Amino acid sequence: MRLRGIRRSRNIEDRRRSGGGRRRGSRAGGIGLTGLLLVLAVGYFTGIDVTPLLNGGSAPAQSSRPMSAADERAAEFTSRVLATTEDVWTEIFERQVGQAYRPPQLVLFQGVTQSPCGGASGATGPFYCPADGKAYLDTRFFVTLSRQLGAAGDFAAAYVIAHEVAHHVQNELGILGQVDQARRQVSQAQANALTVRLELQADCLSGIWARSVEGLMERGDLEEALNAARMIGDDHLQRQAGRVPRPHTFTHGTSQQRADWFRRGYDSGLIADCDTFGAGRL
């Protein structure tokens, strides 16, 4: 991905040197009922442990550590990719939605940090917290993505960032709140199925972003993103863990579904074509 000359986003909150996992009191009482429901929703959506927030606990302390050259390159890369999402979604919201786009902040951390959605660590992977409208990313996840998950390449890493921003797009459109309300009225298996549709829609929206930055793409970049989508499909991950895939437990979709919906967004460029909730077949 050609990012030379692309501006750096100003919506970066860098906690990597600040000990982001320091103790904090519970904030559940201060965010109100709506915020509390969003906190609970993000636990369902991402698997993040929200208990520290609800019980007034905290994540483990994080010690300050020096930043390596690789750490700094990852942060700069993330900032520039985030800037492309800001430009893309500002233009698309104006043209397709008819409203202004409010970009998210992206929190960079290492090891552990806290959010209104609970404690997070590098092990949780990147996530979006609707309670504060921020995306959270331990940049060392890019190493995990490449070495452990088999999704190498800079555009695979860019896809991960674009996917979390896509969840913010869903939040801006009111979709996250609607899905949360629907989830709380159905069985666990049905709730998982709704979450799959949410994640596949985020993949489709990520494809729209990729189409919009096509001029920055290099040969092989599209396949890197599609491969990343396949590598983090529920069926593939369950097989990698030595398990037989159990569709009723899926929360993100199969490898084929994730790649297909990313491709749909890339081919179309239209938010309306990312309606996974209206699709009879995924």
Side-chain angles (χ1 to χ4, degrees):
M1 188 177 187
R2 294 185 290 268
L3 291 173
R4 180 173 295 182
I6 299 299
R7 66 178 177 87
R8 299 185 186 185
S9 172
R10 295 181 179 180
N11 292 309
I12 294 286
E13 180 182 337
D14 194 343
R15 298 182 186 174
R16 293 175 300 160
R17 294 182 175 87
S18 64
R22 61 187 180 279
R23 293 189 63 87
R24 297 180 183 177
S26 172
R27 296 170 59 183
I31 62 177
L33 178 60
T34 301
L36 180 59
L37 292 176
L38 286 172
V39 169
L40 294 174
V42 82
Y44 285 125
F45 291 160
T46 66
I48 296 169
D49 180 13
V50 299
T51 305
L53 173 64
L54 300 178
N55 291 342
S58 64
Q62 174 183 344
S63 60
S64 179
R65 66 182 73 180
M67 295 295 105
S68 68
D71 291 329
E72 296 298 359
R73 286 194 299 270
E76 180 178 348
F77 172 82
T78 299
S79 178
R80 294 184 191 275
V81 172
L82 184 63
T84 70
T85 69
E86 293 164 355
D87 294 341
V88 165
W89 289 113
T90 295
E91 191 276 330
I92 289 178
F93 264 55
E94 180 180 351
R95 179 165 46 87
Q96 296 187 27
V97 183
Q99 70 183 54
Y101 173 66
R102 298 174 299 177
Q105 281 199 317
L106 192 152
V107 177
L108 297 179
F109 69 95
Q110 282 192 0
V112 294
T113 194
Q114 287 202 3
S115 79
C117 297
S121 71
T124 65
F127 69 95
Y128 174 74
C129 178
D132 64 0
K134 296 180 181 181
Y136 290 76
L137 171 68
D138 184 333
T139 52
R140 295 184 182 182
F141 175 76
F142 295 148
V143 176
T144 300
L145 184 70
S146 175
R147 296 180 182 176
Q148 276 74 51
L149 298 179
D154 58 354
F155 207 73
Y159 155 73
V160 168
I161 298 167
H163 182 91
E164 298 312 320
V165 171
H167 284 310
H168 178 73
V169 170
Q170 291 172 316
N171 201 28
E172 287 287 284
L173 295 174
I175 294 170
L176 287 187
Q178 293 171 12
V179 173
D180 173 42
Q181 184 176 11
R183 282 181 53 93
R184 289 184 281 113
Q185 300 173 1
V186 297
S187 68
Q188 185 62 56
Q190 291 171 318
N192 287 346
L194 286 171
T195 306
V196 166
R197 290 179 184 268
L198 189 78
E199 292 293 337
L200 294 179
Q201 184 179 62
D203 283 328
C204 186
L205 294 171
S206 302
I208 292 178
W209 162 81
R211 175 189 177 95
S212 300
V213 298
E214 196 170 21
L216 303 177
M217 293 171 63
E218 299 175 299
R219 186 171 183 174
D221 277 353
L222 178 59
E223 183 52 42
E224 285 181 7
L226 291 170
N227 177 62
R230 297 185 191 105
M231 291 299 101
I232 53 179
D234 287 318
D235 55 338
H236 178 75
L237 291 176
Q238 289 187 4
R239 288 191 186 97
Q240 290 295 100
R243 304 172 185 171
V244 175
R246 302 170 63 198
H248 69 281
T249 67
F250 291 175
T251 57
H252 288 71
T254 68
S255 295
Q256 192 62 54
Q257 287 171 335
R258 300 201 71 169
D260 286 350
W261 279 96
F262 179 92
R263 188 72 197 224
R264 179 180 297 209
Y266 182 84
D267 290 341
S268 168
L270 299 175
I271 293 176
D273 287 341
C274 292
D275 182 13
T276 53
F277 296 95
R281 182 177 180 181
L282 296 173

